C-alpha cells in the first residue's frame, strides 16, 4: 500500500462519527474493555485460562490493563473533550483523535504480546505504552498553560504524573524488576485526577440539582426555597490532593508500614473533609449528584482500609486498593461516560434504570472484592467472592457498553458536528 492510499484510508476512518470528538473512541474503548477484562481474569482464576505472558506475570497483566488500558482510556476521552471546553479553544481534530486511538490500541496489542516476543517485544511495548501516556499531557499542555485563568493546570500535572508512572513501570520491566510499585502509584495518581475532574463536573451537576429542587418547590407552593449554591472549595480539594499525593509518594518510596498506614488514614480523612461541601440537602439524592457523591465515599473507604491494613488490622492491603480501583475509579468513569458522553453527543442524560443498576453492580463488585481480602475467611470463600465481584463488574460494563456504544458510534441526532453540548440536556440532568 503506497503512501497516498494509506492517507486515504486514514482520512476515511477519521471521517467516521466515532472520531467526531475525543471522548467517542476512548469512552467506547473503556466500556468494552471494562466488560472484557474481568471475565478473562476470572477465567484464569477459576479455570486456568491462559493469559498473555507479560513480564511480571498474570497479576501484573491484570493490574496494568485495568489502570493503563481501561483507566487511561477513560482519562484520555475526558481530557480531550474537557480541556478545549475549559480553555475556550477549538476541539481536537479528527486526525488527532484517530491517531491517539490507534496508539492506545497499538499499546494494548504490544503489551499483550510483550512476553512472547522477547527483548524486542518488551522495548516495543515500552515505547508504545509510554508514548500514549506521554501524548496526553503533550496534547493539552499548550492549551492549559496559555489559559489566562490558570484554573485547570491540575489536569496537566496529573497527566504528567500518570505518564511518569507508565514510564517507571516500563523502566522496571526493561531492567528485569518487578514493576507492581508503579501500578500502585498509578492508583494514587488516578485518585488525584478524579478529584480534579469531579470538582469541575460536580459544580454543574449539584447546582443543577439545587435549581431543580427550587423549581419543584416553587411549583408546589409558589415559594422557592432559599437554597445555597454549591461550591467545590479549593482549600478542601487541595488538601485532599496533597494527602493522596503524600500517601502515593510514601508507597512508592517504600516507607515503613506504620507511617504509610497513617498517611493513608490521613488521605481518607481529607477526602471525608472534602465531602463537607456536598451536604446540600435533598438535592444530593438526585441521580447524578448521588453517583458523584458516592465516588468520594468509596475513595475514603479505600484509603481507610489501606491504612488499617498497613497498621496491622485483619485486612489485606489489596482490599483497599480494589475499593479504590473497582469502586471509586469504576463508578467515577461510569458517571463520566453517562454525563459527558451523552451531553457532548447532543443527547439528554439517561433516566433509564440501567444506569443505577450498573452503578449498584460496581458498588457490589467493590464490596465483595474487599471482603475477599479479609484475613481469617474460611478456606473455600475467597474464590467465590472473587467470582461474584468480577461478575458484578462485568455486568456493569456490559450494560454500559450495550447502552452507550450507539451514542459513540452514530452521528449526532441534533444536527451537531462536534463536541458541543446538547442544548436540552440541562433539563434532564436530574432524572430520578
Amino acid at each position: 500500500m503506497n503512501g497516498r492510499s494509506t492517507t486515504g484510508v486514514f482520512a476515511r476512518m477519521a471521517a467516521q462519527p466515532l472520531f467526531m470528538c475525543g471522548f467517542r473512541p476512548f469512552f467506547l474503548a473503556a466500556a468494552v474493555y471494562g466488560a472484557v477484562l474481568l471475565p478473562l481474569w476470572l477465567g484464569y482464576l477459576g479455570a486456568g485460562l491462559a493469559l498473555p505472558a507479560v513480564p511480571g506475570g498474570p497479576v501484573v497483566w491484570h493490574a496494568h490493563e485495568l489502570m493503563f488500558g481501561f483507566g487511561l482510556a477513560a482519562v484520555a476521552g475526558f481530557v480531550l473533550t474537557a480541556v478545549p471546553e475549559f480553555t475556550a479553544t477549538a476541539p481536537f481534530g479528527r486526525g488527532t483523535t484517530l491517531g491517539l486511538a490507534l496508539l492506545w490500541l497499538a499499546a494494548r496489542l504490544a503489551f499483550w504480546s510483550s512476553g512472547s516476543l522477547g527483548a524486542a517485544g518488551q522495548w516495543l511495548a515500552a515505547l508504545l505504552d509510554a508514548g500514549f501516556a506521554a501524548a496526553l499531557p503533550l496534547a493539552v499542555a499548550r492549551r492549559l498553560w496559555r489559559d489566562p485563568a490558570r484554573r485547570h493546570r491540575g489536569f496537566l500535572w496529573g497527566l504528567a504524573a500518570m505518564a511518569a508512572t507508565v514510564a517507571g513501570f516500563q523502566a522496571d520491566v526493561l531492567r528485569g524488576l518487578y514493576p507492581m510499585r508503579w501500578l500502585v502509584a498509578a492508583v494514587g495518581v488516578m485518585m488525584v485526577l478524579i478529584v480534579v475532574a469531579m470538582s469541575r463536573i460536580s459544580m454543574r451537576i449539584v447546582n443543577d440539582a439545587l435549581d431543580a429542587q427550587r423549581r419543584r418547590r416553587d411549583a408546589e407552593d409558589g415559594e422557592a426555597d432559599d437554597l445555597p449554591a454549591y461550591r467545590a472549595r479549593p482549600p478542601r480539594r487541595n488538601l485532599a490532593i496533597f494527602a493522596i499525593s503524600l500517601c502515593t509518594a510514601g508507597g512508592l518510596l517504600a516507607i515503613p508500614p506504620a507511617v504509610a498506614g497513617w498517611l493513608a488514614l490521613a488521605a481518607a480523612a481529607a477526602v471525608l473533609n472534602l465531602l463537607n461541601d456536598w451536604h446540600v440537602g435533598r438535592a444530593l439524592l438526585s441521580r447524578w449528584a448521588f453517583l458523584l457523591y458516592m465516588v468520594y465515599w468509596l475513595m475514603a473507604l479505600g484509603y481507610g482500609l489501606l491504612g488499617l491494613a498497613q497498621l496491622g488490622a485483619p485486612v489485606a492491603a489489596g482490599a483497599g486498593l480494589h475499593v479504590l480501583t473497582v469502586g471509586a475509579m469504576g463508578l467515577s468513569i461510569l458517571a463520566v461516560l453517562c454525563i459527558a458522553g451523552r451531553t457532548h453527543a447532543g443527547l439528554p442524560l439517561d433516566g433509564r434504570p440501567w444506569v443505577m443498576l450498573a452503578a449498584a453492580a460496581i458498588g457490589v463488585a467493590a464490596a465483595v472484592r474487599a471482603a475477599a481480602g479479609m484475613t481469617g475467611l474460611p478456606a473455600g470463600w475467597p474464590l467465590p467472592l472473587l467470582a461474584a465481584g468480577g461478575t458484578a463488574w462485568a455486568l456493569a460494563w456490559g450494560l454500559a457498553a450495550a447502552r452507550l456504544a450507539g451514542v459513540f458510534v452514530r452521528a449526532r441526532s441534533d444536527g451537531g458536528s462536534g463536541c458541543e453540548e446538547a442544548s436540552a440536556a440541562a433539563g434532564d440532568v436530574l432524572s430520578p
Side-chain angles (χ1 to χ4, degrees), residues 70-139:
F70 167 77
L72 206 49
V75 168
F78 180 80
V79 298
L80 291 174
T81 305
V83 168
E85 180 182 11
F86 293 158
T87 58
T89 54
F92 288 97
R94 289 172 175 263
T96 299
T97 300
L98 174 56
L100 287 171
L102 291 175
L103 183 57
W104 177 88
L105 180 60
R108 307 278 63 73
L109 296 174
F111 182 72
W112 280 46
S113 59
S114 60
S116 58
L117 297 179
Q122 292 179 20
W123 274 101
L124 178 62
L127 291 173
L128 292 173
D129 213 22
F132 174 73
L136 296 179
L138 291 175

Side-chain angles (χ1 to χ4, degrees), residues 71 75 86 151 154-155 203 208 215 217 261 294 317 365 383 388 428 432:
V75 168
F86 293 158
R151 291 176 299 177
F155 286 111
M203 289 283 285
D208 281 347
R215 292 192 299 269
R217 292 293 178 87
M294 290 306 300
L383 187 57
D428 293 87

Side-chain angles (χ1 to χ4, degrees), residues 19-390:
F19 303 105
M20 180 186 299
C21 190
F23 74 87
R24 287 173 170 258
F26 287 109
F27 283 3
L28 177 62
V32 173
Y33 214 46
V36 168
L37 284 176
L38 264 292
L40 292 177
W41 181 241
L42 292 178
Y44 164 75
L45 293 176
L49 176 71
L51 293 176
V54 302
V59 174
V60 167
W61 173 84
H62 169 62
H64 180 280
E65 291 306 281
L66 182 64
M67 294 306 305
F68 299 150
F70 167 77
L72 206 49
V75 168
F78 180 80
V79 298
L80 291 174
T81 305
V83 168
E85 180 182 11
F86 293 158
T87 58
T89 54
F92 288 97
R94 289 172 175 263
T96 299
T97 300
L98 174 56
L100 287 171
L102 291 175
L103 183 57
W104 177 88
L105 180 60
R108 307 278 63 73
L109 296 174
F111 182 72
W112 280 46
S113 59
S114 60
S116 58
L117 297 179
Q122 292 179 20
W123 274 101
L124 178 62
L127 291 173
L128 292 173
D129 213 22
F132 174 73
L136 296 179
L138 291 175
V140 300
R142 188 174 182 180
R143 298 169 186 243
L144 292 171
W145 198 258
R146 291 187 172 185
D147 179 26
R150 300 182 179 181
R151 291 176 299 177
H152 307 293
R153 290 187 183 175
F155 286 111
L156 180 58
W157 311 135
L159 291 172
M162 185 64 78
T165 64
V166 177
F169 174 93
Q170 293 296 346
D172 273 5
V173 167
L174 294 174
R175 292 187 297 161
L177 303 176
Y178 189 60
M180 184 59 74
R181 60 180 179 141
W182 294 103
L183 292 167
V184 175
V187 175
V189 176
M190 182 65 75
M191 296 303 110
V192 168
L193 283 168
I194 289 171
V195 171
V196 173
M198 288 244 305
S199 68
R200 277 71 174 174
I201 299 171
S202 63
M203 289 283 285
R204 166 80 174 273
I205 294 299
V206 179
N207 280 310
D208 281 347
L210 288 167
D211 287 342
Q213 184 175 345
R214 293 186 188 99
R215 292 192 299 269
R216 186 164 53 249
R217 292 293 178 87
D218 183 48
E220 290 173 356
D221 54 29
E223 194 171 319
D225 284 358
D226 184 20
L227 297 173
Y230 165 77
R231 293 289 181 269
R233 293 176 173 83
R236 285 182 170 140
R237 179 175 72 247
N238 292 339
L239 177 60
I241 290 171
F242 174 76
I244 293 170
S245 300
L246 198 59
C247 176
T248 302
L252 192 58
L253 296 173
I255 61 176
V259 178
W262 285 111
L263 288 178
L265 291 179
V271 174
L272 290 174
N273 176 60
L274 192 155
L275 282 175
N276 284 318
D277 288 336
W278 286 70
H279 298 148
V280 295
R282 291 180 60 84
L284 188 59
L285 300 180
S286 64
R287 167 179 293 205
W288 306 106
F290 185 73
L291 287 185
L292 298 178
Y293 181 68
M294 290 306 300
V295 170
Y296 281 138
W297 272 106
L298 288 166
M299 194 180 297
L301 177 60
Y303 277 112
L305 289 173
L306 189 60
L308 292 174
Q310 291 167 324
L311 292 173
V315 55
L321 287 173
H322 280 88
V323 171
L324 292 175
T325 52
V326 175
M329 183 177 76
L331 188 58
S332 65
I333 290 175
L334 177 69
V336 167
L337 264 62
C338 291
I339 295 171
R342 284 186 64 91
T343 58
H344 286 281
L347 297 169
L349 296 188
D350 198 331
R352 291 175 294 179
W354 79 265
V355 175
M356 298 310 292
L357 177 59
I362 288 175
V364 168
V368 172
R369 183 57 185 83
M374 299 294 176
T375 60
L377 288 175
W381 281 37
L383 187 57
L385 288 173
L386 291 173

